[in-house]
Amino acid sequence: MVVMLAACNRAPVPPAEVPKQAATPVVEARKKPEKPELPPLFRDIERRTFQFFWDTTNELNGLTPDRFPSRPFASIASVGFALTAYPIGIENGWVSRNQAVDRTLITLKFFRDLPQGPQAEGKGGYKGFYYHFLDMQTGHRYASWVELSSVDTTLLMMGVLFAQSYYDRDEPREKEIRELADVLYKRIDWTWLQKNKPLVSMGWFPESGAIPHDWKGYNEAMMLYVLALGSPSHPVGPEAWEVWTRTYGESWGVYQGQEYLTFGPHFGHQYSHVWIDFRGIQDAYMREKGIDYFENSRRATYAQRNYAMENPMKWRGYGENVWGLTASDGPQQTLQEYRGEQRQFRHYSARGVGFRENFDDGTIAPTAAIASLPFAPEIVIPAIEEMHKRYGEHLYSSYGFLDAFNPSFDYEDVPLKAGRVVPGQGWVGSDYIGIDQGPILTMIANYRNGFVWEVMKKNPYIRKGLARAGFEGGWMTPEGAPIQVPANADPKAAAARALGTAESRAAQAAEQQPEAPARNQTPQ
């Protein structure tokens, strides 16, 4: 997983003053929008993407490859998505419950028994954490450059806890799944990686010790702190969340017409939301902003699309329905002339736009759009249909969308790291990547019926972690409990923020109306 560590050097744009409005228009503007129906293409995407996890996972140990067909090593994050995928397969009738229970038990037992220790070789993890990449057969650390990863262990554990809550029958094998999940989660010593308390380090190397960089600034580590706070055995203190949100710093501001907490690569706005339903629940930071993290990701999705429509770098293909920058494959690390100037292209890299982590080389990853389906279906659905129609002949295959494509990269004489150049279409990737496939499948399921979210709401560790982080309201409010209004709450300010959110939604909904002027979709 690529993590960008650049310090923010741009001050946030101050929010525009919101005019005072009467309460009635606020209520009218906030009517629940109609939920768009998914076209048949999405059912096909779901089935193919599920098959990626079912077909490519090692049946003997439950390890899922980082990528396929390259299949160089297993990714523990991919395993977390696979454990979440199996129940989706059950619910859709693609595999039986017995098959999924078998695969899940094999996986959890393997991780329980995988050797742990401080040695550089022959181990799969240490202190309950696991190495980012593992040998597909032995499960041992893949190579000396592979770190013991706190966030990838988190992605694995989200899948483990999802399995714990899904397999709830009074049956010996499902009971064993629940017990194994407890063993794996409880032995993670989160405090061991708190070298700069109360923050948590990104990881550890047996050769050099803890990685000096901590998880700070808004990104996908929301889920890491939730798990660390919810731990029944080695929890971090509640001040960890307060300090973590304090490091958001200058990431809040107005970008591409949206006021939100920015993070360039779109996976940072998606990963935590795969398992946690942030709709209507707020921590202290979001209470002050008057929105929630779900709304924040919705605005980030619109900002991605707005950027593609503006297309300041004049990449080919970008437009209203072709957009999506995240961490993904790319053609090659190379400098090439494009439109009369030297442009940098990359292979696997984080791509994104915002106040920080800015990099765009014309490479689009379909997962950036599809995994945003719950946030903004009205713009995601047409985008996926357009990308499938325009590029699907070469981009859409056995397991759905290949990882990425770049219509601007048509340099046929440049040796490629991966993929191929299709005449007239540009570069198209050749691999599927597990951590990009996972959000596609799970977020379609969440859009249909909130499946992953509803299962995870039953997990006491997730609820405890959120509560210790200060989340309140919405589905976290105890049944029958009165709604608490803070004593220092400013009702006028709250109404103004609500109006701002409503007007933002209304303006974006208006863009979808037939009478709105059509935006240019002609490739640049």
Side-chain angles (χ1 to χ4, degrees):
M1 178 177 300
V2 177
V3 179
M4 305 300 288
L5 301 171
C8 179
N9 57 12
R10 174 177 174 181
V13 180
E17 183 177 344
V18 181
K20 294 182 179 180
Q21 298 284 344
T24 304
V26 174
V27 175
E28 292 177 352
R30 297 185 72 195
K31 287 181 180 178
K32 187 176 180 180
E34 185 177 341
K35 182 178 177 180
E37 183 178 348
L38 289 179
L41 171 61
F42 281 78
R43 177 61 70 189
D44 190 63
I45 294 172
E46 282 179 286
R47 179 61 190 269
R48 290 173 186 252
T49 308
F50 168 79
Q51 288 300 144
F52 165 84
F53 291 102
W54 192 256
D55 293 351
T56 67
T57 296
N58 186 334
E59 295 178 350
L60 300 179
N61 57 24
L63 291 180
T64 306
D66 172 65
R67 54 178 60 232
F68 184 87
S70 296
R71 201 185 180 100
F73 38 70
S75 155
I76 60 171
S78 291
V79 176
F81 281 115
L83 290 170
T84 310
Y86 304 150
I88 295 175
I90 295 171
E91 297 295 317
N92 284 282
W94 299 328
V95 293
S96 71
R97 193 175 182 103
N98 281 336
Q99 286 176 299
V101 166
D102 286 343
R103 180 73 66 85
T104 301
L105 276 173
I106 287 170
T107 307
L108 300 187
K109 287 179 180 178
F110 184 79
F111 276 92
R112 178 197 63 190
D113 299 336
L114 198 56
Q116 292 223 347
Q119 295 82 3
E121 297 180 0
K123 305 295 181 183
Y126 186 44
K127 296 288 187 178
F129 295 95
Y130 292 91
Y131 286 102
H132 191 163
F133 298 126
L134 305 176
D135 182 278
M136 278 292 294
Q137 308 306 319
T138 66
H140 296 168
R141 182 190 188 196
Y142 182 73
S144 61
W145 50 266
V146 177
E147 85 285 13
L148 195 77
S149 172
S150 55
V151 77
D152 289 277
T153 297
T154 295
L155 285 160
L156 169 62
M157 287 301 142
M158 294 301 271
V160 168
L161 294 182
F162 178 80
Q164 181 182 55
S165 291
Y166 179 78
Y167 299 104
D168 57 359
R169 293 182 180 176
D170 186 17
E171 186 267 328
R173 295 194 308 152
E174 297 201 10
K175 181 180 179 182
E176 187 176 8
I177 287 175
R178 298 193 293 272
E179 292 171 348
L180 286 166
D182 246 21
V183 169
L184 294 174
Y185 179 49
K186 287 180 178 178
R187 75 181 181 187
I188 301 174
D189 188 351
W190 302 96
T191 61
W192 174 68
L193 277 183
Q194 286 189 293
K195 304 306 179 184
N196 301 303
K197 288 186 177 181
L199 298 175
V200 177
S201 167
M202 291 184 170
W204 177 88
F205 286 94
E207 296 86 359
S208 56
I211 295 174
H213 303 291
D214 298 313
W215 282 107
K216 59 175 64 175
Y218 173 69
N219 50 45
E220 76 276 22
M222 277 204 301
M223 59 185 173
L224 181 151
Y225 283 103
V226 169
L227 286 193
L229 286 162
S231 172
S233 54
H234 304 284
V236 301
E239 67 276 8
W241 189 270
E242 179 189 350
V243 175
W244 147 256
T245 55
R246 208 182 295 157
T247 67
Y248 289 177
E250 298 178 340
S251 295
W252 178 274
V254 176
Y255 180 77
Q256 286 293 336
Q258 299 293 320
E259 185 181 10
Y260 68 109
L261 192 57
T262 68
F263 180 77
H266 215 46
F267 70 80
H269 296 285
Q270 297 171 335
Y271 280 177
S272 297
H273 295 258
V274 164
W275 292 278
I276 302 174
D277 183 1
F278 285 100
R279 295 175 299 176
I281 65 172
Q282 297 172 309
D283 62 354
Y285 183 92
M286 282 300 176
R287 277 192 292 276
E288 192 275 331
K289 297 299 183 184
I291 62 172
D292 54 39
Y293 285 101
F294 184 91
E295 167 67 14
N296 194 78
S297 290
R298 187 190 69 82
R299 295 181 182 187
T301 302
Y302 266 92
Q304 279 253 355
R305 173 176 174 259
N306 292 349
Y307 171 83
M309 290 163 62
E310 181 183 314
N311 194 10
M313 299 181 75
K314 306 302 179 186
W315 296 116
R316 294 185 192 128
Y318 279 31
E320 183 178 18
N321 291 326
V322 178
W323 51 269
L325 304 177
T326 191
S328 73
D329 268 351
Q332 179 59 286
Q333 187 80 21
T334 182
L335 281 172
Q336 297 295 327
E337 184 174 319
Y338 181 82
R339 289 183 173 261
E341 63 181 32
Q342 291 292 303
R343 295 282 182 93
Q344 181 185 13
F345 295 89
R346 293 179 184 172
H347 177 226
Y348 188 88
S349 178
R351 296 168 172 86
V353 290
F355 294 157
R356 308 185 306 166
E357 304 95 17
N358 290 286
F359 180 72
D360 174 19
D361 66 354
T363 301
I364 297 290
T367 187
I370 307 177
S372 298
L373 179 64
F375 307 136
E378 66 281 1
I379 63 173
V380 167
I381 294 172
I384 298 311
E385 289 188 302
E386 178 69 20
M387 284 188 271
H388 180 266
K389 177 181 177 182
R390 192 187 298 186
Y391 304 104
E393 180 182 356
H394 305 288
L395 183 66
Y396 193 77
S397 191
S398 303
Y399 297 127
F401 282 101
L402 290 158
D403 194 60
F405 64 103
N406 188 325
S408 301
F409 194 95
D410 57 2
Y411 309 98
E412 297 185 25
D413 58 338
V414 176
L416 298 175
K417 183 74 173 179
R420 66 198 189 282
V421 172
V422 178
Q425 295 280 308
W427 176 85
V428 178
S430 55
D431 271 341
Y432 299 93
I433 297 181
I435 59 172
D436 288 342
Q437 292 285 87
I440 290 174
L441 177 64
T442 52
M443 291 300 251
I444 294 177
N446 278 332
Y447 180 73
R448 288 193 185 280
N449 56 18
F451 173 63
V452 180
W453 292 333
E454 293 307 314
V455 169
M456 284 301 259
K457 286 175 186 176
K458 297 186 294 184
N459 193 281
Y461 302 131
I462 295 296
R463 297 185 78 108
K464 178 183 176 183
L466 288 167
R468 293 191 75 219
F471 280 90
E472 297 175 351
W475 59 268
M476 289 195 64
T477 304
E479 191 171 346
I483 298 176
Q484 299 293 325
V485 179
N488 61 347
D490 182 346
K492 291 183 179 180
R497 285 194 297 268
L499 177 65
T501 297
E503 287 181 338
S504 173
R505 288 185 182 275
Q508 289 156 356
E511 291 184 7
Q512 311 305 315
Q513 299 303 317
E515 61 269 25
R519 287 186 168 82
N520 181 20
Q521 272 288 287
T522 304
Q524 298 294 325

